[in-house]
Amino acid sequence: MKRRTTTAALCVALLLTAVTTGAAVASGPHEERPPREAAALTGSAELYRSAGDDITFTFDAHLAAEDNDDPLKATGTFEFSHYLDGEGARAKADVDCLLTGGDVAVVSGVITDSDLPGAEGRRVGITVHDRGRHDRLGYSWAATGSPVEGGDLPRCVASAPFEKVKKGTGDFEVVPWQPKL
């Protein structure tokens, strides 16, 4: 009796394995799978500030496989906001460059929507270090204090990822770029 139960359990396990992997097996060696993205930066997190600032960054930036040789063809958006005691601002930018290497990404974009006066039309850049539960982030306006201050920023430029992500909020994911060299 015990042998039949063990055999039945093994058969069920094998059947479940076959069902869950069936799509990959059924596609066969001759069907093409969609190519891997050349690079990506996705996810969101809040930054840690001891004063209690509410600072959030969200990314949905992608470089298609067919554009692997040109990070300036990246697409997507990113958003950020910074509030303290009900005062602050938010902004949304269209991606115009994405570079990734290992677990670090640099993304830049032009602000298309913001409640910060003078921000729309300005390029900003952000660097993310995807460290699992201890992500870090930096931004191009770190030294100036505001995205509207400072000169014109080139594409794919940002600061080192010096800011800590608030514990339990970071879910950044970086897909590393693999350019043909």
Side-chain angles (χ1 to χ4, degrees):
M1 182 82 165
K2 185 175 182 180
R3 183 179 222 162
R4 277 192 209 172
T5 304
T6 303
T7 303
L10 181 58
C11 288
V12 168
L14 288 172
L15 182 60
L16 287 173
T17 302
V19 168
T20 59
T21 60
V25 173
S27 66
H30 301 292
E31 290 187 35
E32 292 200 23
R33 294 181 185 184
R36 171 192 174 279
E37 284 184 290
L41 170 60
T42 57
S44 64
E46 295 177 39
L47 296 189
Y48 171 76
R49 290 285 177 86
S50 60
D53 301 45
D54 180 10
I55 306 170
T56 304
F57 286 82
T58 302
F59 302 94
D60 187 22
H62 304 271
L63 181 62
E66 63 267 17
D67 296 324
N68 188 55
D69 294 334
D70 190 356
L72 301 181
K73 289 187 177 178
T75 61
T77 60
F78 58 90
E79 298 181 43
F80 53 94
S81 62
H82 184 167
Y83 292 96
L84 178 63
D85 298 328
E87 304 237 349
R90 54 142 197 90
K92 181 176 183 177
D94 284 343
V95 171
D96 65 8
C97 185
L98 174 64
L99 288 172
T100 65
D103 52 6
V104 176
V106 178
V107 64
S108 64
V110 176
I111 297 174
T112 57
D113 184 35
S114 179
D115 55 4
L116 178 64
E120 288 185 28
R122 300 293 303 245
R123 178 176 289 116
V124 292
I126 302 170
T127 303
V128 170
H129 189 181
D130 177 9
R131 299 176 57 201
R133 298 182 328 179
H134 304 286
D135 294 342
R136 297 182 74 91
L137 188 137
Y139 37 86
S140 58
W141 61 94
T144 63
S146 169
V148 298
E149 298 174 19
D152 291 332
L153 185 71
R155 293 179 181 189
C156 273
V157 173
S159 72
F162 65 96
E163 293 268 16
K164 291 181 183 178
V165 168
K166 189 175 182 180
K167 187 176 181 174
T169 69
D171 69 349
F172 296 135
E173 183 176 343
V174 173
V175 173
W177 185 41
Q178 298 172 348
K180 297 173 189 166
L181 301 176

